[in-house]
């Protein structure tokens, strides 16, 4: 990772030097207009002016009334939530918002093309897994330029209120954050409280507990299986495996070597082999067709009452507790991904709002982000259908009533932060990661079906991934 960081920093430095040379002779005027946007108007207010939402809006409106920003967003519940908040934002600040809402599959290419040319966008909605590429191409402004500037960010924005796992795990690359997390997920366990009470069992705290409980409940009653997870051949299998891989200390790559001339594949380490062996044993306690499960089939098996436990995305919790969708809605509880031999860790993914370097309205763009993604507006955002990323949302008693999984989600995110603190990205930031996951998930699936052993599967994927990246 050190070599990759040096590479990113050098690219950023080179871009900065080029900008400086191009500005010679008219730097003050041109740089002010580029950096502040809106014809050089600057977002700046005193602590008193930013004390309340209304006072902040009045201070912003002095300089930005009639300004217009264009935002490039994914078709997503959080985007829908932001749109519901647009009118108050415009009324307060005078800043008009033009929305370009694009399907996720096309959004990245559209953003990158615009950043290299027209510069017509002022706010990007960015997937966490794009951050490494965006950093290497100097696409986004470092978010600390704004979030840590008290003359541009009101106290009620509260950057530190964002859950550390999201703030430090999905918002940047190379040690630099470029976005404000506005939607995310980790993974946790849902379990049937009626069954656990009936058989006097406690929720799993360790990976040993998890496997023992899955084996205990498997076949305990007619039509009952121990667990449900995604395990469809290829990327879905790899994703399910990764739900617990890092807790064993395993991984597909030595992430510190990514981007160097000597990238190291780690599929044959004892830790990775042990994690695959464990996953296959766990899946033997799942319905017999688990090898065809994506997250949808895994969820379906649990909410139909076929399994005692389920391990998957926190974003799906609402369907589990929805009485119209789930037969177990009134007899379910949640706990974080269990601790493994290597400690805590869990999946981490999500979306951010960031400001493209090519924006001509950076300060107005930050006013939009600091309003939409603030602690002050988070409750309204979540009630509008947005996804919580802030501690204050998870701690809100009224929001907890509408989403009983919030307490466990917060604990799961604290567990996920264990991975962040180790300096690991849940999905390694490698250009060929999709092919790597497909290879690993293919061989892992063969081990599940008995066509090969777990050790041989790890050896084969090691060779194929080495061939791919070298």
């Amino acid at each position: 990772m050190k070599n990759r960081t040096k590479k990113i920093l050098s690219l950023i430095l080179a871009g900065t030097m080029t900008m400086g040379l191009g500005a010679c002779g008219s730097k003050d005027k041109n740089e002010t207009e580029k950096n502040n946007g809106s014809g050089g108007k600057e977002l700046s207010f005193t602590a008193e002016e930013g004390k309340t939402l209304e006072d902040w809006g009045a201070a912003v409106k002095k300089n930005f009334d009639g300004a217009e920003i264009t935002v490039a967003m994914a078709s997503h519940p959080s985007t829908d939530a932001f749109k519901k908040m647009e009118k108050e934002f415009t009324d307060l600040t005078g800043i008009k918002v033009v929305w370009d809402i694009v399907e996720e599959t096309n959004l990245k290419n559209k953003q990158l093309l615009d950043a290299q040319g027209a510069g017509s966008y002022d706010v990007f909605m960015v997937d966490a897994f794009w951050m490494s590429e965006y950093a290497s191409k100097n696409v986004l402004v470092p978010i600390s330029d704004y979030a840590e500037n008290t003359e541009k960010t009101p106290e009620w924005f509260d950057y530190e209120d964002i859950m550390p796992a999201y703030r430090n795990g999905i918002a940047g690359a190379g040690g630099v954050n470029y976005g404000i997390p506005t939607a995310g997920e980790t993974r946790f366990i849902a379990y049937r409280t009626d069954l656990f009470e009936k058989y006097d069992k406690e929720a799993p705290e360790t990976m040993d507990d998890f496997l023992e409980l899955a084996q205990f409940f498997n076949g305990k009653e007619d039509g009952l299986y121990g667990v449900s997870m995604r395990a469809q051949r290829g990327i879905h299998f790899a994703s399910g495996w990764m739900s617990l891989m890092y807790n064993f200390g395993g991984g597909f790559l030595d992430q510190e070597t990514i981007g160097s001339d000597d990238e190291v594949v780690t599929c044959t380490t004892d830790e990775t082999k042990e994690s695959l062996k464990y996953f296959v044993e766990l899946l033997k306690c799942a319905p017999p067709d688990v090898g065809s499960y994506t997250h949808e089939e895994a969820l379906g098996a649990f909410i139909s009452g076929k399994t005692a436990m389920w391990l998957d995305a926190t974003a799906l919790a609402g369907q589990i507790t929805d009485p119209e969708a789930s037969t177990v809605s009134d007899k379910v509880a949640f706990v974080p991904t269990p601790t493994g031999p290597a400690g805590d860790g869990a999946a981490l993914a999500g979306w951010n709002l960031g400001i493209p370097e090519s924006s001509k309205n950076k300060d107005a763009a930050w006013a939009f982000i600091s309003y939409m993604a603030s602690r002050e507006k988070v409750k309204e955002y979540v009630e509008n259908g947005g996804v919580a990323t802030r501690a204050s949302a998870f701690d809100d008693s009224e929001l907890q009533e509408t989403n009983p999984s919030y307490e466990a989600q917060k604990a799961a995110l604290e567990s996920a932060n264990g991975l962040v603190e180790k300096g690991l990205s849940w999905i390694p930031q490698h250009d060929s990661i999709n092919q790597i996951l497909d290879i690993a998930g293919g061989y892992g699936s063969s081990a599940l079906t008995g066509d090969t052993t777990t050790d041989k599967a790890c050896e084969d994927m090691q060779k194929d991934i080495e061939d791919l990246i070298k």
Side-chain angles (χ1 to χ4, degrees):
M1 190 67 82
K2 292 178 182 177
N3 289 333
R4 182 176 178 82
T5 301
K6 289 179 181 177
K7 181 179 179 182
I8 291 172
L9 289 173
S10 66
L11 285 168
I12 293 173
L13 180 60
T16 304
M17 291 174 64
T18 301
M19 288 166 53
L21 290 170
C24 287
S26 57
K27 180 177 180 179
D28 290 345
K29 180 175 182 296
N30 290 343
E31 283 300 296
T32 298
E33 290 184 359
K34 178 171 184 180
N35 291 331
N36 297 330
S38 302
K41 296 175 182 177
E42 184 175 1
L43 177 64
S44 181
F45 46 82
T46 65
E48 189 65 26
E49 288 175 324
K51 193 169 185 180
T52 69
L53 190 65
E54 292 72 20
D55 291 342
W56 169 83
V60 173
K61 200 168 190 176
K62 287 179 184 178
N63 279 339
F64 291 95
D65 192 18
E68 183 177 280
I69 61 170
T70 302
V71 301
M73 302 276 206
S75 179
H76 190 273
S78 62
T79 302
D80 298 336
F82 291 139
K83 288 197 71 176
K84 293 175 184 177
M85 298 160 64
E86 174 192 0
K87 183 179 185 303
E88 184 188 27
F89 170 74
T90 299
D91 289 345
L92 280 170
T93 65
I95 300 171
K96 299 175 183 178
V97 184
V98 177
W99 301 83
D100 189 7
I101 300 174
V102 183
E103 287 300 319
E104 179 181 346
T105 51
N106 299 318
L107 182 61
K108 179 183 173 185
N109 287 339
K110 194 166 188 179
Q111 288 179 351
L112 289 175
L113 283 172
D114 185 76
Q116 294 165 6
S120 56
Y121 293 125
D122 304 298
V123 176
F124 280 173
M125 183 175 172
V126 183
D127 191 303
F129 301 120
W130 305 346
M131 279 295 181
S132 180
E133 181 178 355
Y134 280 35
S136 69
K137 294 178 179 177
N138 199 26
V139 170
L140 298 171
V141 175
I143 211 66
S144 61
D145 290 359
Y146 286 92
E148 297 176 7
N149 186 335
T150 57
E151 293 183 356
K152 295 182 183 294
T153 305
E155 185 177 343
W156 46 260
F157 174 75
D158 197 353
Y159 185 57
E160 297 300 315
D161 181 53
I162 300 169
M163 290 295 294
Y166 286 139
R167 191 175 68 241
N168 301 321
I170 71 169
V176 179
N177 283 353
Y178 297 94
I180 298 298
T182 54
E185 66 179 45
T186 181
R187 291 187 181 170
F188 64 173
I189 287 175
Y191 66 96
R192 291 267 302 275
T193 54
D194 57 332
L195 292 173
F196 275 63
E197 290 171 3
K198 180 178 179 179
Y199 294 102
D200 194 27
K201 295 295 183 181
E202 299 291 332
E205 295 182 359
T206 68
M207 285 295 171
D208 286 343
D209 295 342
F210 189 29
L211 180 57
E212 288 171 8
L213 286 164
Q215 292 171 336
F216 174 84
F217 283 112
N218 197 45
K220 191 68 175 179
E221 297 183 1
D222 289 344
L224 179 67
Y225 297 92
V227 69
S228 180
M229 293 182 68
R230 63 181 82 186
Q232 187 182 89
R233 186 178 187 87
I235 287 179
H236 289 287
F237 185 98
S239 178
W241 179 10
M242 290 166 65
S243 296
L244 49 84
M245 170 190 284
Y246 295 104
N247 303 54
F248 285 83
F252 301 127
L253 298 165
D254 178 346
Q255 294 193 23
E256 288 193 354
T257 68
I258 294 176
S260 73
D261 294 332
D262 190 21
E263 294 178 330
V264 177
V265 182
T266 57
C267 296
T268 53
T269 65
D270 291 342
E271 293 83 0
T272 304
K273 286 183 176 181
E274 184 62 25
S275 69
L276 180 58
K277 181 180 178 181
Y278 178 95
F279 188 44
V280 169
E281 287 300 310
L282 189 65
L283 293 176
K284 291 178 181 178
C285 305
D289 59 343
V290 69
S292 66
Y293 283 10
T294 67
H295 66 280
E296 293 178 349
E297 291 80 12
L299 178 67
F302 182 70
I303 65 176
S304 64
K306 289 174 66 175
T307 69
M309 296 182 294
W310 163 95
L311 173 57
D312 213 296
T314 52
L316 301 172
Q319 296 182 57
I320 293 174
T321 57
D322 180 359
E324 295 186 3
S326 172
T327 63
V328 300
S329 62
D330 60 344
K331 42 183 176 283
V332 66
F334 302 86
V335 291
T337 301
T339 299
D344 290 333
L348 200 60
W351 291 94
N352 301 268
L353 294 183
I355 303 172
E357 284 280 8
S358 57
S359 167
K360 303 174 182 68
N361 303 286
K362 292 183 177 67
D363 277 24
W366 177 247
F368 173 85
I369 294 173
S370 59
Y371 169 87
M372 293 288 177
S374 66
R375 184 196 66 208
E376 179 76 13
K377 301 299 292 183
V378 69
K379 188 171 183 178
E380 180 182 344
Y381 166 66
V382 172
E383 289 175 339
N384 285 339
V387 183
T389 56
R390 287 180 168 271
S392 56
F394 290 115
D395 291 338
D396 187 280
S397 58
E398 292 181 1
L399 293 179
Q400 287 175 352
E401 286 183 11
T402 61
N403 192 328
S405 73
Y406 261 21
E407 184 178 351
Q409 283 199 43
K410 185 179 179 183
L413 283 165
E414 290 168 354
S415 177
N417 199 47
L419 203 62
V420 176
E421 290 176 344
K422 295 172 186 175
L424 297 174
S425 174
W426 184 68
I427 295 185
Q429 296 177 350
H430 193 283
D431 292 345
S432 300
I433 189 59
N434 285 340
Q435 298 99 307
I436 289 169
L437 296 181
D438 196 47
I439 291 169
Y443 284 113
S445 180
S446 294
L448 174 63
T449 59
D451 292 335
T452 188
T453 65
T454 55
D455 281 356
K456 184 66 163 56
C458 288
E459 291 165 5
D460 289 343
M461 70 181 75
Q462 172 88 12
K463 182 179 183 301
D464 281 8
I465 293 172
E466 286 179 342
D467 289 345
L468 172 72
I469 67 174
K470 293 182 178 179

